[in-house]
Amino acid sequence: MTDASTDPDKVGGPTPDNALRAADAVEQRGKRGEMLAADGTPLKRSLARALRRQKIRALLLIAPLLLFVLVTFIAPIVDMLFRSVENQIVSDTLPRTTAALQDWDDTTGELPGDAVWDAAYKDIFYAAERKLHTRLGTRLNYELTGVSSLFRKSGRGLDDIGEVYQDQFEDLDAAWDEAMPWAELLGDPEWIGAQAEWDATDQGDRGQMPGFVLREGVEDLLPETAASYREFALYTQVEEGDSPLQEEPWSIVHAMLYQDLSSGADVGSYTGPRAEMLQAAAQLVASPDFETVDVRAQFAEIDEDWHDVEVWQTIKMYSPKYTSGYFLNSVDAQKTPDGVRLRDEDERIYGLLFKRTMFMSLVITFSCIMLSYPVAFLLANLPARTANLLMILVLLPFWTSLLVRTSAWKVMLQQQGVINDVLVWLGLVGDADRLVMINNQFGTIVAMTHILLPFMILPMYSVMATIPPYYVRAAKSLGATNWTAFWRVYFPQSVPGIGAGSILVFILAIGYYITPEIVGGTTGTFISNRIAYHISSSLNWGLAVALGTILLAVVLILYWAYDKIVGIDNVKLGG
């Protein structure tokens, strides 16, 4: 048997046998046609490892910049795009109502049942206390006009329901008008002690307020009362920073106490704190003289629109956390109980604005090409000194405010403006027949062409400056006319500059909103003007983002089509 210490296969250090085996392995790889690195590993594997290390090193170098772009640019855009489908405010503000509406058939034309009205009372009351009902009304008002005022009035009027019960309980026993009896009835004794100690401590030494805890068993005895009092106690502690031991509960807590007592709560066997008070209240509720409130009728008293089935249909349709409603509105459609349908003819504005934006942007791009090409040709073929002087004139508009340039066109194009005055002075038009060149599509095209002209001239000039002049001279020496030399030799080489300028001008044109707003009137505005309106005025950010997303998709589709037809590789900015 071979000793392990002398076996060449088990010796860790270099031995002649090991060296021979390594040399044999290298020789065998060489016979198989594999190229080897200096250390004997396959060259392909060695190159792959080196390339991988270079990529990791490059990634680490750009990681700070990449992280900065993701945080400051990509993340805000993604968050903004998410607003076009986000709809959580309805289900978060009206959780009980939206759940109850799932069992309601909104195609029958009948109002929902009592369970929905009771749930709506609780949800809207709590939302009004938290000042959230107006935000919800604003959201639903985007889908159905008038809902915003409906929620505002309801937030003020639903207090009357609870006050009916509150007054009767207080007439029975004045303790129902105090904070401490409610806390003893519904709060955990240990919490009451901790809260009382916190209340008695000096304000600077208090520390964190003890969180509210329900008394054991009270949730089974008075479920609705316990739930509403918990809402009150937590809001009082967290939002207002006050003690529930010192604040009288909301009126809805009294209404929920009536609901529990009228539902057959077994308070006769209750022996906890305030038992006599609670049992007396149960006897009062059971008496025929106790006044009750019809929640459905109270809603109608606040506003008759609550008995409009379309209001409840709208709440149900927009109860999911995510919605396609914003995108449907962007294409002049809307959700209905029967499915998606187009809006009425007189309400379809966004399709018209999209068509107008595309058409006018193309016209502006074409007019910029027509005006820029001779200017760029002249700059590229003049002596350098003269070309540089003229280039200053091309760049001069960049030194002037966009608002000033647009306002100047408004002054020049109006009926009593400079251009009309000149035309009247020349006798080309009569004083009574002055041309209308402002607050229409013509004014928008003229003003935007002037503003975007440098963005077309510069790419064209940068490409034309690289075209060798001897190409045209060679064509002429071979018998070509001036037109043939230009069209067959010079123009094809300048097309990349036209392509670069066209993409730049077109994308800038569809996104402009200041110039169309000032000189466009009602027929010369773009879809970007509506996006700006919804962002800054109506605050309908979801619709604004949906419109922007559609506009972005259109631009990407046109970019893809341009790449397929012309080829993006043929676009140059010089060189």
Side-chain angles (χ1 to χ4, degrees), residues 79-330:
D79 178 67
M80 200 67 180
L81 293 177
F82 178 69
R83 291 177 181 268
S84 63
V85 295
E86 187 268 336
N87 192 54
Q88 298 179 9
I89 185 173
V90 180
S91 58
D92 289 349
T93 310
L94 303 176
R96 303 168 186 83
T97 307
T98 53
L101 282 173
Q102 299 306 312
D103 299 327
W104 172 57
D105 186 357
D106 56 352
T107 61
T108 61
E110 298 180 357
L111 289 171
D114 292 338
V116 174
W117 295 94
D118 292 339
Y121 165 53
K122 299 172 189 175
D123 286 337
I124 298 175
F125 186 96
Y126 296 143
E129 290 294 336
R130 292 179 170 84
K131 307 297 187 292
L132 298 176
H133 63 302
T134 54
R135 290 177 52 199
L136 174 63
T138 300
R139 166 66 189 98
L140 294 176
N141 199 73
Y142 298 148
E143 314 301 335
L144 182 63
T145 304
V147 176
S148 180
S149 61
L150 191 64
F151 274 88
R152 275 199 305 271
K153 286 193 276 186
S154 301
R156 296 190 298 266
L158 288 180
D159 264 336
D160 296 340
I161 297 176
E163 288 175 357
V164 171
Y165 303 108
Q166 183 177 1
D167 292 341
Q168 296 178 84
F169 287 134
E170 290 174 1
D171 291 340
L172 174 67
D173 191 332
W176 288 114
D177 191 29
E178 301 172 3
M180 197 62 186
W182 283 100
E184 293 173 349
L185 176 64
L186 300 166
D188 182 76
E190 293 184 4
W191 168 78
I192 293 175
Q195 183 67 51
E197 183 180 351
W198 186 89
D199 293 344
T201 306
D202 292 338
Q203 189 169 357
D205 302 326
R206 282 178 171 177
Q208 187 174 1
M209 187 185 302
F212 173 74
V213 180
L214 280 172
R215 190 166 56 81
E216 185 177 358
V218 72
E219 201 165 9
D220 297 328
L221 179 66
L222 304 171
E224 296 296 339
T225 309
S228 60
Y229 188 82
R230 183 198 287 116
E231 292 275 353
F232 155 76
L234 293 177
Y235 177 80
T236 301
Q237 289 184 316
V238 176
E239 301 296 334
E240 297 183 344
D242 294 329
S243 170
L245 302 184
Q246 300 175 1
E247 298 293 328
E248 182 186 356
W250 295 330
S251 64
I252 194 174
V253 181
H254 298 80
M256 294 301 102
L257 176 61
Y258 155 74
Q259 191 174 109
D260 285 331
L261 294 177
S262 63
S263 299
D266 184 17
V267 298
S269 59
Y270 172 70
T271 58
R274 302 289 174 172
E276 293 181 0
M277 212 171 91
L278 183 61
Q279 291 164 3
Q283 293 175 4
L284 175 65
V285 169
S287 67
D289 297 331
F290 190 79
E291 182 183 356
T292 61
V293 179
D294 185 343
V295 176
R296 183 192 298 240
Q298 185 64 31
F299 268 96
E301 186 176 332
I302 294 172
D303 197 314
E304 282 292 339
D305 285 345
W306 278 115
H307 280 196
D308 185 355
V309 177
E310 194 173 2
V311 171
W312 297 101
Q313 289 174 337
T314 303
I315 295 175
K316 181 176 180 179
M317 281 188 294
Y318 291 92
S319 61
K321 292 184 179 294
Y322 304 100
T323 180
S324 60
Y326 291 123
F327 280 100
L328 292 176
N329 289 337
S330 300

Side-chain angles (χ1 to χ4, degrees), residues 21 39 104 157 285 288 298 325 382 393 419 490 502 561:
R21 289 191 182 90
D39 58 356
W104 172 57
V285 169
Q298 185 64 31
L382 282 175
L393 300 179
I419 296 178
Y490 191 89
S502 298

Side-chain angles (χ1 to χ4, degrees), residues 29-91:
R29 293 193 192 100
K31 291 179 179 179
R32 292 197 299 267
E34 294 183 7
M35 297 186 65
L36 303 177
D39 58 356
T41 60
L43 183 60
K44 184 176 181 181
R45 188 190 308 166
S46 180
L47 290 175
R49 187 186 304 117
L51 184 61
R52 186 164 55 252
R53 289 173 180 170
Q54 289 181 353
K55 289 180 178 179
I56 293 175
R57 189 181 300 113
L59 182 61
L60 292 176
L61 288 173
I62 68 170
L65 177 60
L66 181 61
L67 183 62
F68 176 79
V69 171
L70 286 174
V71 172
T72 62
F73 184 70
I74 303 298
I77 289 179
V78 172
D79 178 67
M80 200 67 180
L81 293 177
F82 178 69
R83 291 177 181 268
S84 63
V85 295
E86 187 268 336
N87 192 54
Q88 298 179 9
I89 185 173
V90 180
S91 58

Side-chain angles (χ1 to χ4, degrees), residues 358 362 506 510 553-564:
M358 293 298 112
L362 289 172
F506 180 79
I510 62 175
V554 170
V555 171
L556 292 177
I557 291 173
L558 293 175
Y559 180 85
W560 173 82
Y562 182 90
D563 183 36
K564 290 297 182 182

